[in-house]
Amino acid sequence: MDYATRHKGIITGIAVDSRTVTVRLSDDAADCGGCALRGICSPSGGDSGDTVTVTASVGASCPAIGDTVVIGLPDKARWFSSIVILVVPVVLFVAILLIALATGSSQATAALAAIVATALYFILLIPLRRRLDRHVRWQLTDT
């Protein structure tokens, strides 16, 4: 599996089932503050010192608390996040703007309608966050 997004971290907790671990991101690149996708893949919104719940592969090497690991976000999850956070809102904005202008609305009304529709889209994502989280899962790549 390809992981274009990777971060180093330290395991701070292991679930009872040993299939999920909690990792505190430790590298400087893990500061997600400037990333537009931080709302989906980072549970605390991109604060430095983020902790991420990671799906551990069942294998020969079982990580222990305190181990340094590398986690990765699969390319498929990264593309999904990009589409949900970047592409859909832009397409929605342009579509509403063009539809409003085509129906004879003023430019100000069309712009306001596009802004409101895009804001409503992002508000709609809030209750759907758990459902979206199923598509964006960090995984242990190296222990």
Side-chain angles (χ1 to χ4, degrees), residues 87-100:
V87 175
V88 172
V90 169
V91 170
L92 177 68
F93 183 88
V94 171
I96 296 295
L97 183 68
L98 294 176
I99 289 169

PDB file of all heavy atoms in Angstrom, residues 87-100:
ATOM      1  N   VAL A  87     -12.656  19.703  -3.195  1.00  0.00           N
ATOM      2  CA  VAL A  87     -13.303  19.658  -4.509  1.00  0.00           C
ATOM      3  C   VAL A  87     -14.810  19.899  -4.418  1.00  0.00           C
ATOM      4  O   VAL A  87     -15.356  20.755  -5.131  1.00  0.00           O
ATOM      5  CB  VAL A  87     -12.995  18.319  -5.223  1.00  0.00           C
ATOM      6  CG1 VAL A  87     -13.748  18.209  -6.528  1.00  0.00           C
ATOM      7  CG2 VAL A  87     -11.498  18.180  -5.446  1.00  0.00           C
ATOM      8  N   VAL A  88     -15.498  19.157  -3.554  1.00  0.00           N
ATOM      9  CA  VAL A  88     -16.952  19.281  -3.467  1.00  0.00           C
ATOM     10  C   VAL A  88     -17.388  20.710  -3.126  1.00  0.00           C
ATOM     11  O   VAL A  88     -18.286  21.253  -3.781  1.00  0.00           O
ATOM     12  CB  VAL A  88     -17.547  18.248  -2.479  1.00  0.00           C
ATOM     13  CG1 VAL A  88     -19.023  18.508  -2.232  1.00  0.00           C
ATOM     14  CG2 VAL A  88     -17.337  16.838  -2.994  1.00  0.00           C
ATOM     15  N   PRO A  89     -16.770  21.371  -2.137  1.00  0.00           N
ATOM     16  CA  PRO A  89     -17.197  22.744  -1.849  1.00  0.00           C
ATOM     17  C   PRO A  89     -16.994  23.718  -3.016  1.00  0.00           C
ATOM     18  O   PRO A  89     -17.846  24.579  -3.257  1.00  0.00           O
ATOM     19  CB  PRO A  89     -16.340  23.159  -0.652  1.00  0.00           C
ATOM     20  CG  PRO A  89     -15.855  21.911  -0.060  1.00  0.00           C
ATOM     21  CD  PRO A  89     -15.789  20.911  -1.156  1.00  0.00           C
ATOM     22  N   VAL A  90     -15.906  23.574  -3.751  1.00  0.00           N
ATOM     23  CA  VAL A  90     -15.661  24.466  -4.885  1.00  0.00           C
ATOM     24  C   VAL A  90     -16.697  24.218  -5.985  1.00  0.00           C
ATOM     25  O   VAL A  90     -17.269  25.170  -6.543  1.00  0.00           O
ATOM     26  CB  VAL A  90     -14.220  24.298  -5.424  1.00  0.00           C
ATOM     27  CG1 VAL A  90     -14.042  25.020  -6.741  1.00  0.00           C
ATOM     28  CG2 VAL A  90     -13.219  24.809  -4.401  1.00  0.00           C
ATOM     29  N   VAL A  91     -16.960  22.955  -6.291  1.00  0.00           N
ATOM     30  CA  VAL A  91     -17.955  22.627  -7.312  1.00  0.00           C
ATOM     31  C   VAL A  91     -19.334  23.132  -6.878  1.00  0.00           C
ATOM     32  O   VAL A  91     -20.085  23.710  -7.680  1.00  0.00           O
ATOM     33  CB  VAL A  91     -17.968  21.109  -7.597  1.00  0.00           C
ATOM     34  CG1 VAL A  91     -19.151  20.710  -8.460  1.00  0.00           C
ATOM     35  CG2 VAL A  91     -16.658  20.693  -8.247  1.00  0.00           C
ATOM     36  N   LEU A  92     -19.680  22.930  -5.613  1.00  0.00           N
ATOM     37  CA  LEU A  92     -20.964  23.398  -5.087  1.00  0.00           C
ATOM     38  C   LEU A  92     -21.072  24.915  -5.199  1.00  0.00           C
ATOM     39  O   LEU A  92     -22.092  25.447  -5.646  1.00  0.00           O
ATOM     40  CB  LEU A  92     -21.118  22.956  -3.627  1.00  0.00           C
ATOM     41  CG  LEU A  92     -22.384  23.431  -2.917  1.00  0.00           C
ATOM     42  CD1 LEU A  92     -23.607  22.752  -3.531  1.00  0.00           C
ATOM     43  CD2 LEU A  92     -22.291  23.125  -1.431  1.00  0.00           C
ATOM     44  N   PHE A  93     -20.019  25.628  -4.813  1.00  0.00           N
ATOM     45  CA  PHE A  93     -20.011  27.087  -4.867  1.00  0.00           C
ATOM     46  C   PHE A  93     -20.243  27.578  -6.295  1.00  0.00           C
ATOM     47  O   PHE A  93     -21.115  28.418  -6.555  1.00  0.00           O
ATOM     48  CB  PHE A  93     -18.689  27.632  -4.323  1.00  0.00           C
ATOM     49  CG  PHE A  93     -18.626  29.126  -4.273  1.00  0.00           C
ATOM     50  CD1 PHE A  93     -19.072  29.815  -3.160  1.00  0.00           C
ATOM     51  CD2 PHE A  93     -18.127  29.856  -5.345  1.00  0.00           C
ATOM     52  CE1 PHE A  93     -19.026  31.198  -3.110  1.00  0.00           C
ATOM     53  CE2 PHE A  93     -18.070  31.234  -5.312  1.00  0.00           C
ATOM     54  CZ  PHE A  93     -18.515  31.914  -4.182  1.00  0.00           C
ATOM     55  N   VAL A  94     -19.485  27.045  -7.232  1.00  0.00           N
ATOM     56  CA  VAL A  94     -19.586  27.481  -8.635  1.00  0.00           C
ATOM     57  C   VAL A  94     -20.953  27.112  -9.207  1.00  0.00           C
ATOM     58  O   VAL A  94     -21.579  27.915  -9.917  1.00  0.00           O
ATOM     59  CB  VAL A  94     -18.433  26.880  -9.479  1.00  0.00           C
ATOM     60  CG1 VAL A  94     -18.643  27.133 -10.955  1.00  0.00           C
ATOM     61  CG2 VAL A  94     -17.100  27.457  -9.012  1.00  0.00           C
ATOM     62  N   ALA A  95     -21.445  25.918  -8.902  1.00  0.00           N
ATOM     63  CA  ALA A  95     -22.744  25.478  -9.430  1.00  0.00           C
ATOM     64  C   ALA A  95     -23.866  26.387  -8.926  1.00  0.00           C
ATOM     65  O   ALA A  95     -24.714  26.833  -9.718  1.00  0.00           O
ATOM     66  CB  ALA A  95     -23.010  24.029  -9.040  1.00  0.00           C
ATOM     67  N   ILE A  96     -23.892  26.657  -7.628  1.00  0.00           N
ATOM     68  CA  ILE A  96     -24.949  27.516  -7.070  1.00  0.00           C
ATOM     69  C   ILE A  96     -24.839  28.923  -7.641  1.00  0.00           C
ATOM     70  O   ILE A  96     -25.846  29.547  -7.989  1.00  0.00           O
ATOM     71  CB  ILE A  96     -24.870  27.544  -5.524  1.00  0.00           C
ATOM     72  CG1 ILE A  96     -25.152  26.156  -4.952  1.00  0.00           C
ATOM     73  CG2 ILE A  96     -25.827  28.585  -4.943  1.00  0.00           C
ATOM     74  CD1 ILE A  96     -26.547  25.639  -5.195  1.00  0.00           C
ATOM     75  N   LEU A  97     -23.623  29.417  -7.773  1.00  0.00           N
ATOM     76  CA  LEU A  97     -23.410  30.749  -8.333  1.00  0.00           C
ATOM     77  C   LEU A  97     -23.953  30.823  -9.765  1.00  0.00           C
ATOM     78  O   LEU A  97     -24.703  31.742 -10.112  1.00  0.00           O
ATOM     79  CB  LEU A  97     -21.924  31.101  -8.305  1.00  0.00           C
ATOM     80  CG  LEU A  97     -21.541  32.493  -8.801  1.00  0.00           C
ATOM     81  CD1 LEU A  97     -22.055  33.549  -7.845  1.00  0.00           C
ATOM     82  CD2 LEU A  97     -20.034  32.593  -8.945  1.00  0.00           C
ATOM     83  N   LEU A  98     -23.602  29.849 -10.600  1.00  0.00           N
ATOM     84  CA  LEU A  98     -24.049  29.850 -11.995  1.00  0.00           C
ATOM     85  C   LEU A  98     -25.560  29.650 -12.118  1.00  0.00           C
ATOM     86  O   LEU A  98     -26.218  30.286 -12.955  1.00  0.00           O
ATOM     87  CB  LEU A  98     -23.295  28.795 -12.792  1.00  0.00           C
ATOM     88  CG  LEU A  98     -21.790  29.037 -12.972  1.00  0.00           C
ATOM     89  CD1 LEU A  98     -21.142  27.871 -13.695  1.00  0.00           C
ATOM     90  CD2 LEU A  98     -21.541  30.351 -13.703  1.00  0.00           C
ATOM     91  N   ILE A  99     -26.122  28.787 -11.303  1.00  0.00           N
ATOM     92  CA  ILE A  99     -27.574  28.563 -11.334  1.00  0.00           C
ATOM     93  C   ILE A  99     -28.316  29.829 -10.930  1.00  0.00           C
ATOM     94  O   ILE A  99     -29.312  30.220 -11.557  1.00  0.00           O
ATOM     95  CB  ILE A  99     -27.960  27.367 -10.433  1.00  0.00           C
ATOM     96  CG1 ILE A  99     -27.477  26.062 -11.066  1.00  0.00           C
ATOM     97  CG2 ILE A  99     -29.472  27.323 -10.192  1.00  0.00           C
ATOM     98  CD1 ILE A  99     -27.575  24.856 -10.156  1.00  0.00           C
ATOM     99  N   ALA A 100     -27.828  30.480  -9.869  1.00  0.00           N
ATOM    100  CA  ALA A 100     -28.484  31.709  -9.414  1.00  0.00           C
ATOM    101  C   ALA A 100     -28.395  32.807 -10.474  1.00  0.00           C
ATOM    102  O   ALA A 100     -29.367  33.527 -10.705  1.00  0.00           O
ATOM    103  CB  ALA A 100     -27.868  32.173  -8.098  1.00  0.00           C
TER     104      ALA A 100
END
